[in-house]
Amino acid sequence: MLPETGWLAQTGDPWEPYQLLDSAGDVVEPVAAYFAELQAGHSSGLTIRSYGMDLLRWFRFIWALGVEWDRADRSDARDFARWMLLAEKPVRTHWRRRGEGRPASASMAGPAPSSPNSVTGKPAPGPKYAATTRAHCETVLRSFYDFHLDQGTGPVINPFPLDRSRRAGRANAHHNPMEPFKSERQGRYRPSVPKRIPRRIPDDRFNELFAGLRHNRDRALLAFWVSTGARAEELLTSRQSGADPGQQVIEVTRKGTGEIQLLPASPDAFMWLRLYQEECLRGGVPRGRHLPLWWTLRRPWRRLNYHAARAMFVRANEVLGANWSLHDLRHTAAYRMARDPQLPLTDVQWVLGHRQISTTQLYLNPDTAEVTEHVLAYHARRSQQREAAPLPRQGYNATSLAVLFGEKR
């Protein structure tokens, strides 16, 4: 395992939301310049944090090798790609258990990834880095060195090169507009990412999950997530003035564009929201049109963030022994709306905030549970069929037929 030198610090400064610090606590200036470039390109703070975690992993690797960032070559990049392929992920210890010791790797904590969950069918996260993580890291590092290559502040050659088939030009350089785009590999060390099928929560399992919740706030959240199709963090941006029971819409801030959008929700969601608001009124939760709609359940009152909402959902999963995620609620809402013949697919695209209609069309395909159910029903019908031998027509000699086709055994 790599020594955990340096860290990614959140500053609270809107001009510099995150800083990559070395072991001495000094700012890594090349990364700071790259973060400024990302922010100028309208990247959100979450994007900068995601890129910063990949850069922190790379800098820890070259710090362990004793290589300067602008002296790294392609052999270092190749070894880094091999290390991410073979190494195990470090396990972050909860702050309440830091005195009890730290597990050495991900294989010493968490469920084994060998078999899928018996309730959801989703495999548990493995001890090694996933292909999506490695692909994202390769893209970030190639972009980081491309930026410094253009600025003249980095190495002369990008340590993370393009694939050999891409050296002649950009991807889909001579694309025919009448044909779909080809999936061309970009980075030489970029792994192949398997295409994931969206997973929904079956209605009966969702009812069991909903019944296991203990607070009206949690019931309201799940009802809104599964009826609006909003992302988990998008719903948590709602303000107290953004929920309109009369129009049956709720205000959310979209993740990619940052635009405010009113999403229609089910009547049940507003019923649970009203019960939660009554509890907030009696409990003394801060009130105001521009204040957050969702708060913690205990004092001191704090705005409910994504990590707290995820912890709530994990506790609800433990009752059923499931491992669904908050994003599966969005998939569930998308499947329900896309399968309704009276709801146009373009309306579903608008609600989900998809840029391309082809992304929304993914929810028209049957999921794993439906395919399994259909195939099992097919085998059941086959087992019920009885193959009866056809009776010979009149006029044929039974003895001749027996000689020709054989005796019945």
Side-chain angles (χ1 to χ4, degrees), residues 320-337:
L320 301 178
N323 62 346
W324 282 301
S325 64
L326 288 176
H327 203 70
D328 290 335
L329 296 171
R330 174 176 166 87
H331 293 324
T332 303
Y335 267 109
R336 290 180 178 182
M337 289 186 287

Side-chain angles (χ1 to χ4, degrees), residues 198 330 352 354-364:
R330 174 176 166 87
L352 297 177
H354 289 159
R355 182 177 300 178
Q356 303 292 338
I357 191 67
S358 58
T359 306
T360 314
Q361 290 174 343
L362 293 176
Y363 297 99
L364 297 176

Side-chain angles (χ1 to χ4, degrees), residues 165-182:
S165 61
R166 287 283 310 280
R167 291 182 180 179
R170 61 181 176 86
N172 294 288
H174 305 285
H175 171 253
N176 186 348
M178 300 300 294
E179 298 179 355
F181 284 93
K182 298 180 180 179

Side-chain angles (χ1 to χ4, degrees), residues 25-39:
D26 298 328
V27 178
V28 181
E29 295 297 338
V31 177
Y34 181 63
F35 284 171
E37 181 75 8
L38 291 175
Q39 191 178 42

Side-chain angles (χ1 to χ4, degrees), residues 42-310:
H42 303 281
S43 296
S44 64
L46 294 176
T47 301
I48 296 176
R49 181 186 180 276
S50 176
Y51 281 37
M53 297 302 294
D54 290 331
L55 288 168
L56 175 62
R57 193 178 296 116
W58 164 250
F59 271 84
R60 283 177 174 175
F61 182 81
I62 59 177
W63 285 337
L65 296 179
V67 178
E68 296 292 334
W69 74 275
D70 54 351
R71 298 291 182 180
D73 54 18
R74 293 187 176 178
S75 62
D76 298 323
R78 179 198 59 200
D79 293 340
F80 177 73
R82 295 169 58 204
W83 173 80
M84 286 201 67
L85 177 64
L86 302 176
E88 294 187 353
K89 297 180 294 186
V91 177
R92 185 188 310 172
T93 306
H94 194 276
W95 62 271
R96 294 178 179 174
R97 301 180 177 89
R98 286 176 182 170
E100 302 175 4
R102 182 187 181 92
S105 62
S107 60
M108 301 177 61
S114 57
S115 59
N117 185 276
S118 59
V119 178
T120 65
K122 296 174 59 177
K128 299 183 182 298
Y129 291 102
T132 52
T133 304
R134 292 184 280 119
H136 185 270
C137 188
E138 189 273 341
T139 302
V140 170
L141 296 179
R142 178 158 39 84
S143 174
F144 169 74
Y145 278 101
D146 278 342
F147 163 73
H148 284 285
L149 187 62
D150 293 338
Q151 298 294 319
T153 55
V156 179
I157 299 177
N158 194 329
F160 293 87
L162 290 173
D163 187 70
R164 292 182 175 88
S165 61
R166 287 283 310 280
R167 291 182 180 179
R170 61 181 176 86
N172 294 288
H174 305 285
H175 171 253
N176 186 348
M178 300 300 294
E179 298 179 355
F181 284 93
K182 298 180 180 179
S183 179
E184 295 188 2
R185 185 177 179 181
Q186 297 183 357
R188 183 187 300 181
Y189 305 129
R190 180 183 177 87
S192 300
V193 179
K195 188 176 181 180
R196 294 183 297 181
I197 301 177
R199 291 183 177 269
R200 66 179 179 91
I201 304 177
D203 293 343
D204 53 344
R205 292 296 187 179
F206 177 79
N207 294 334
E208 296 177 7
L209 186 67
F210 192 86
L213 301 176
R214 298 180 296 176
H215 304 285
N216 289 328
R217 182 206 65 181
D218 304 339
R219 299 185 183 101
L221 281 170
L222 255 69
F224 274 109
W225 275 323
V226 83
S227 63
T228 62
R231 298 176 179 87
E233 60 271 18
E234 291 177 347
L235 185 62
L236 298 178
T237 61
S238 301
R239 300 176 297 175
Q240 296 184 17
S241 61
D244 189 353
Q247 300 295 327
Q248 206 169 316
V249 292
I250 187 170
E251 174 188 284
V252 300
T253 303
R254 282 303 187 184
K255 176 184 176 182
T257 61
E259 298 178 354
I260 296 178
Q261 184 175 352
L262 295 176
L263 296 180
S266 64
D268 291 341
F270 285 100
M271 180 196 70
W272 291 113
L273 176 62
R274 184 57 183 169
L275 294 175
Y276 166 60
Q277 289 175 331
E278 289 292 335
E279 293 179 354
C280 293
L281 183 62
R282 294 192 300 266
V285 174
R287 300 180 62 189
R289 291 181 53 84
H290 300 290
L291 292 180
L293 178 61
W294 310 104
W295 296 81
T296 56
L297 298 175
R298 298 176 181 84
R299 295 177 183 268
W301 305 117
R302 298 181 301 273
R303 174 183 174 181
L304 185 69
N305 57 25
Y306 173 82
H307 302 287
R310 179 180 176 275

